[in-house]
């Protein structure tokens, strides 16, 4: 572990320690906060362990929806972005539509998605996909456009086949931008997953928080929020590992 990494870990630990101390003092010692709305850290820790099996079940349900929608966004956004980014004519035709549709909050599609699609999972997947697709697509287009022209010309001189040209030249050249879009799409996917589950789900992480908030069980609400935070942190760590592997050629060149 590098010195910078150790320093970062120490800083994060210090911030968490200060936060937990302030939480404990505000709830357990001085009782400044309403105990109904703000349970003590010890109570939350005990409840977290008790509720872990139920939250794990909710995570499985949420992962099915989000995973399906996010992978669909990658499978459609990246190829579409490569095709559009490789053609100036297509890019000029599609850009106005992408600017408008990409700016529309996907959550507004929920009423129509529920009305038109056969099930809540299908409606949720569509809404999550619509939020993740545009960052992936737009950043892929941007990545293809910014590939140095001399690199593309040199690759064409090798008389590569179309598939090999895109797979070995265009995709690696656009990969940093694609990963930026994929990262944004992952964030939007999680936000929209939670929003969708708050509205019509009967299980999942968003539903867990919404269900117990309706019953004013704020201890479990806090537990659910903390669990969502843990899941997001784990997803971010996994994404960083995948990103580092996909961009490993940068390290070779240094």
């Amino acid at each position: 572990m590098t010195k910078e990494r150790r320093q970062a870990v120490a800083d994060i630990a210090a911030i968490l320690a200060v936060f937990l101390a302030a939480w404990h003092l505000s709830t357990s010692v001085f009782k400044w906060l309403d105990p109904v709305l703000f349970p003590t850290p010890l109570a939350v820790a005990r409840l977290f362990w008790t509720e872990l099996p139920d939250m794990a079940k909710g995570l499985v349900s949420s992962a099915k929806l989000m995973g399906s929608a996010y992978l669909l966004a990658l499978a459609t956004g990246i190829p579409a972005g490569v095709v559009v980014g490789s053609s100036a004519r297509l890019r000029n035709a599609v850009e106005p539509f992408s600017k408008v549709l990409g700016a529309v909050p996907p959550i507004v599609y929920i009423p129509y998605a529920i009305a038109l699609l056969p099930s809540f999972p299908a409606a949720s997947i569509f809404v999550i996909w619509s939020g993740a697709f545009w960052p992936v697509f737009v950043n892929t287009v941007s990545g293809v456009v910014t590939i140095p022209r001399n690199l593309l010309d040199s690759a064409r001189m090798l008389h590569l086949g179309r598939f090999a040209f895109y797979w070995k030249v265009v995709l690696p050249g656009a990969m940093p931008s694609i990963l930026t879009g994929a990262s944004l799409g992952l964030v939007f996917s999680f936000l929209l997953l939670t929003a969708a589950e708050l509205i019509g789900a009967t299980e999942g992480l968003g539903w867990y928080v919404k269900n117990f908030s309706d019953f004013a069980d704020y201890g479990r609400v806090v537990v659910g929020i903390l669990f969502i935070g843990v899941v997001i942190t784990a997803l971010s760590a996994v994404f960083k590992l995948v990103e580092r592997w996909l961009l490993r050629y940068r390290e070779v060149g240094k």
Side-chain angles (χ1 to χ4, degrees), residues 1-212:
M1 183 181 293
T2 64
K3 181 179 179 180
E4 291 79 7
R5 184 62 178 171
R6 289 196 299 271
Q7 185 63 57
V9 171
D11 291 341
I12 292 172
I15 292 172
L16 287 176
V18 171
F19 172 76
L20 290 173
W23 184 3
H24 174 72
L25 292 173
S26 300
T27 55
S28 301
V29 179
F30 299 110
K31 302 187 185 302
W32 291 331
L33 301 176
D34 187 341
V36 175
L37 292 175
F38 300 97
T40 65
L42 183 58
V44 169
R46 290 172 177 169
L47 196 56
F48 190 97
W49 181 255
T50 302
E51 292 293 306
L52 194 56
D54 288 339
M55 291 189 295
K57 292 179 182 178
L59 175 60
V60 171
S61 173
S62 296
K64 289 179 181 178
L65 290 179
M66 179 178 160
S68 300
Y70 182 65
L71 291 177
L72 182 61
L74 295 179
T76 53
I78 294 175
V82 169
V83 171
V84 172
S86 301
S87 170
R89 182 176 179 181
L90 269 178
R91 194 162 61 250
N92 293 332
V94 171
E95 186 177 13
F97 298 99
S98 65
K99 285 183 177 180
V100 174
L101 295 176
V104 176
I107 198 169
V108 304
Y109 300 138
I110 288 179
Y112 281 98
I114 292 175
L116 297 176
L117 294 173
S119 64
F120 173 77
S124 298
I125 289 173
F126 170 77
V127 172
I128 296 168
W129 169 86
S130 66
F133 172 82
W134 291 110
V136 174
F137 172 77
V138 170
N139 279 275
T140 300
V141 172
S142 176
V144 173
V145 170
T146 55
I147 296 176
R149 182 59 53 186
N150 60 344
L151 177 62
L152 298 177
D153 292 339
S154 298
R156 290 190 179 97
M157 291 179 63
L158 297 175
H159 302 291
L160 296 174
R162 183 176 293 272
F163 178 80
F165 176 75
Y166 283 110
W167 182 255
K168 295 183 178 181
V169 179
V170 176
L171 271 179
M175 189 57 67
S177 185
I178 291 174
L179 289 173
T180 298
S183 177
L184 292 172
L186 185 63
V187 172
F188 289 150
S189 294
F190 207 95
L191 292 174
L192 290 167
L193 166 73
T194 306
E197 288 179 339
L198 287 173
I199 293 172
T202 57
E203 56 183 347
L205 297 180
W207 174 85
Y208 181 93
V209 174
K210 174 66 164 57
N211 180 60
F212 287 111

Side-chain angles (χ1 to χ4, degrees), residues 226-248:
L226 291 176
F227 187 75
I228 290 173
V230 170
V231 171
I232 293 174
T233 302
L235 279 175
S236 298
V238 171
F239 188 88
K240 284 291 184 184
L241 291 176
V242 173
E243 181 180 35
R244 187 178 304 169
W245 182 78
L246 289 173
L247 298 179
R248 61 192 183 281

